[in-house]
Amino acid sequence: MVVRSYNDELQYLEKLSENSWRIKKGFQPNMNVEGIFYVNKQLEKLMFDELRNACRPGAVGGFLPGMKQIANVAALPGIVGRSVGLPDVHSGYGFAIGNMAAFDYDDPLSVVSPGGVGFDINCGVRLLRTNLFAKDVIPVKEELAQSLFDHIPVGVGSKGIIPMTAKDLEEALEMGMDWSLREGYIWAEDKEHCEEYGRMLQADPSKVSSRAKKRGLPQLGTLGAGNHYAEIQVVSEIYDVWAARKMGIEEKGQVCVMIHSGSRGFGHQVATDALLAMEKAMKRDNIETNDRQLACARIKSQEGQDYLKAMAAAANFAWVNRSSMTFLSRQAFSKQFNMSPDDLDMHVIYDVSHNIAKIEQHIVDGKQKTLLVHRKGSTRAFPPHHPLIPVDYQLTGQPVLIGGTMGTCSYVLTGTEQGMQETFGSTCHGAGRALSRAKSRRNLDFKDVLSKLQQQGISIRVASPKLVMEEAPESYKNVTDVVDTCHAAGISKKCIQLKPIAVIKG
């Protein structure tokens, strides 16, 4: 393959607006559609620096730069519209993280790629509101942080305290949050405020390997490590008062709880198993990709359908996981304030997926089409009046939960009609890494990171202090830049900003 200079690469890139760039066909081989990525000035510099570094003579190691990965996805069979890079986009396995792409479900050549979902299937965020305010919580935030840390199992090898047998797991994989409801871990209305109502109906536990089930069984109801967290947050800004009120957020200072976790080792194993099966399917069906990490299979093939059924089971696992931690969070607050969770108004505002592939209806070239939409490090952001969002949010658009990095603010956005047209109803998912985990460990000292959080008045409980370096704010893009870019580009709309006062991490 011919290696082009940085200046040669630039001829394939065109600035469309203040906040978007086009990746023309030819940037990578065999592109079926163009690419687009959304940035502001600061994020644009990061993207182009990454490309420039990859073009240096003798550049080695790591994933391809985000732009190249967006373009490689544009070369996959059956893709429609454009391969989209959101403002938090950064290099990942196969697809960039922060990359979404839609495939024509009815085209026999269209593919599904586990690299377009990621290893942590249905990693996502849930936000609970309370009727408490900063003045109620700050005096006891150390005790409350400890109570949350004691209630929620955290860390790499953590084991859940929700009783689970092998039979329970099978049922949870099939039923998702309906299992949690039956077992008494959630309130009936929690489901109403969850993407897919907390259950993907095509889930089939028989398509999941025994190894995945073995890994998942002890981990249900655990936070895990890495960028996963439970945070006690305070509403710091309200940009859209009317939409915020629809979510039960009345004024600044109100206290919320954000839970960020996924399908743990279970989802990782489902992805690993599928990649191995798809490598064989690609040889059989003569599917070629620009990057072997983009292993895929025809959507309608046995391997494609098996993966979608197993992925749905992993998505259900993640929803049960976040539901279990919702139950534990409600218990921790209830114990601390000696009030029932109901009296504390601990209702779910919404629960979104950041890593998932879903069959959806979209308008393409003026016609309604059935698409398989891959969102990896990307959030569904449907507009007002969309039939798949709850009645409560029909006039506001879907709430979109954007988790910040440790110690920085998080956001709630709402979906827009423009986003539906430009990005298949998708927006960013978080800050997006600026430094690799290895570089973060080399450049930062965990004591400095913890000390800085304490100086900001943030209580922190961590199972593994050294993992904190990988998740320090310096390792990430600025989440406000990312959110402001989505807002300016019109693909989602700012509603609420939240700041942490206590962080629980693995």
Side-chain angles (χ1 to χ4, degrees):
M1 198 168 102
V2 179
V3 178
R4 294 192 296 240
S5 72
Y6 177 66
N7 285 334
D8 287 339
E9 298 286 25
L10 292 182
Q11 67 180 309
Y12 293 98
L13 302 169
E14 179 193 351
K15 190 160 190 170
L16 296 175
S17 70
E18 264 316 288
N19 297 108
S20 61
W21 281 78
R22 179 158 70 116
I23 303 172
K24 299 175 194 172
K25 289 183 183 179
F27 187 68
Q28 287 289 82
N30 309 314
M31 288 171 67
N32 295 311
V33 296
E34 294 182 330
I36 187 172
F37 60 94
Y38 294 88
V39 282
N40 65 4
K41 275 187 181 156
Q42 290 82 356
L43 300 173
E44 183 182 291
K45 183 181 182 308
L46 287 172
M47 288 284 281
F48 280 88
D49 284 351
E50 184 186 49
L51 180 65
R52 187 184 287 109
N53 290 336
C55 291
R56 281 182 183 154
V60 291
F63 294 124
L64 287 168
M67 279 188 230
K68 292 276 188 190
Q69 291 193 307
I70 294 166
N72 281 341
V73 167
L76 288 173
I79 188 169
V80 298
R82 298 179 291 194
S83 175
V84 178
L86 285 316
D88 48 345
V89 70
H90 60 285
S91 297
Y93 184 93
F95 278 56
I97 298 162
N99 189 184
M100 70 71 49
F103 297 80
D104 185 343
Y105 192 81
D106 297 317
D107 180 346
L109 298 181
S110 283
V111 296
V112 55
S113 175
V117 172
F119 285 93
D120 193 359
I121 295 166
N122 192 7
C123 180
V125 174
R126 177 172 296 198
L127 187 65
L128 315 177
R129 67 174 188 250
T130 75
N131 55 18
L132 299 166
F133 284 82
K135 61 181 171 51
D136 307 311
V137 172
I138 286 172
V140 294
K141 70 183 165 92
E142 288 295 336
E143 295 93 319
L144 191 53
Q146 189 60 48
S147 183
L148 262 184
F149 192 68
D150 291 342
H151 276 78
I152 299 174
V154 302
V156 176
S158 54
K159 294 192 174 176
I161 55 171
I162 302 288
M164 287 292 285
T165 63
K167 182 174 180 289
D168 286 325
L169 180 64
E170 292 282 331
E171 291 175 349
L173 295 179
E174 187 173 331
M175 296 171 66
M177 281 173 66
D178 285 332
W179 181 88
S180 303
L181 182 60
R182 187 190 74 186
E183 298 298 315
Y185 293 118
I186 62 167
W187 303 342
E189 70 231 41
D190 291 354
K191 274 187 61 191
E192 296 297 313
H193 287 176
C194 185
E195 204 170 310
E196 298 291 313
Y197 300 100
R199 178 180 186 177
M200 289 189 84
L201 296 173
Q202 68 264 49
D204 183 349
S206 73
K207 303 300 182 185
V208 176
S209 70
S210 56
R211 185 164 184 200
K213 290 172 184 172
K214 192 175 176 185
R215 287 182 71 178
L217 183 58
Q219 292 184 334
L220 208 51
T222 64
L223 191 62
N227 63 351
H228 293 162
Y229 58 75
E231 282 189 358
I232 303 167
Q233 302 176 334
V234 172
V235 174
S236 46
E237 293 290 342
I238 299 176
Y239 307 101
D240 185 334
V241 173
W242 183 71
R245 284 197 174 140
K246 291 282 183 189
M247 299 175 202
I249 299 298
E250 296 294 332
E251 56 185 289
K252 291 205 281 192
Q254 197 168 335
V255 170
C256 296
V257 180
M258 184 174 272
I259 298 165
H260 177 204
S261 190
S263 51
R264 308 282 278 109
F266 180 90
H268 198 286
Q269 193 61 49
V270 166
T272 303
D273 293 341
L275 286 166
L276 291 171
M278 287 187 184
E279 280 181 9
K280 292 176 187 168
M282 286 174 73
K283 284 178 187 162
R284 181 194 68 215
D285 296 337
N286 298 315
I287 302 171
E288 290 187 10
T289 61
N290 289 347
D291 179 357
R292 65 181 299 271
Q293 291 183 354
L294 287 170
C296 54
R298 307 280 184 222
I299 294 173
K300 299 287 176 72
S301 70
Q302 186 71 51
E303 293 83 1
Q305 289 297 305
D306 284 355
Y307 169 68
L308 287 172
K309 289 169 184 174
M311 182 214 68
N316 288 347
F317 181 103
W319 279 314
V320 172
N321 196 30
R322 291 198 285 278
S323 295
S324 301
M325 286 184 278
T326 300
F327 172 75
L328 297 168
S329 300
R330 284 170 173 159
Q331 280 195 325
F333 269 73
S334 184
K335 204 169 178 181
Q336 179 63 46
F337 292 99
N338 202 21
M339 292 167 73
S340 74
D342 204 18
D343 288 337
L344 288 165
D345 193 36
M346 292 190 75
H347 292 267
V348 173
I349 290 177
Y350 208 59
D351 179 303
V352 294
S353 309
H354 287 165
N355 286 348
I356 206 156
K358 291 202 295 198
I359 299 165
E360 296 173 0
Q361 303 295 318
H362 288 273
I363 304 296
V364 180
D365 299 329
K367 292 178 186 164
Q368 184 165 295
K369 277 188 174 289
T370 302
L371 305 179
L372 181 65
V373 182
H374 293 61
R375 293 189 182 94
K376 180 184 183 179
S378 163
T379 317
R380 191 185 78 176
F382 282 173
H385 314 300
H386 195 286
L388 293 182
I389 59 176
V391 172
D392 299 6
Y393 303 134
Q394 277 292 308
L395 300 179
T396 63
Q398 179 203 311
V400 179
L401 310 176
I402 309 299
T405 53
M406 193 172 56
T408 67
C409 54
S410 296
Y411 288 88
V412 182
L413 315 178
T414 50
T416 65
E417 192 55 54
Q418 189 176 338
M420 203 66 184
Q421 290 163 18
E422 287 189 24
T423 63
F424 299 100
S426 310
T427 193
C428 63
H429 87 303
R433 292 198 80 86
L435 291 180
S436 69
R437 293 182 189 279
K439 210 174 258 186
S440 298
R441 287 194 297 271
R442 284 198 301 273
N443 293 5
L444 301 166
D445 184 280
F446 74 91
K447 289 174 188 160
D448 293 341
V449 176
L450 293 174
S451 164
K452 202 181 275 186
L453 289 170
Q454 282 166 340
Q455 285 165 21
Q456 290 173 253
I458 298 168
S459 302
I460 180 152
R461 297 290 185 279
V462 286
S464 171
K466 292 196 175 177
L467 281 179
V468 162
M469 296 178 290
E470 297 178 5
E471 301 307 319
E474 296 90 331
S475 304
Y476 284 84
K477 296 175 180 179
N478 182 327
V479 70
T480 301
D481 277 339
V482 170
V483 164
D484 285 349
T485 303
C486 291
H487 182 83
I491 58 173
S492 48
K493 189 178 163 196
K494 288 200 296 188
C495 183
I496 300 163
Q497 184 194 69
L498 303 131
K499 288 202 169 155
I501 55 172
V503 181
I504 313 304
K505 284 193 80 73

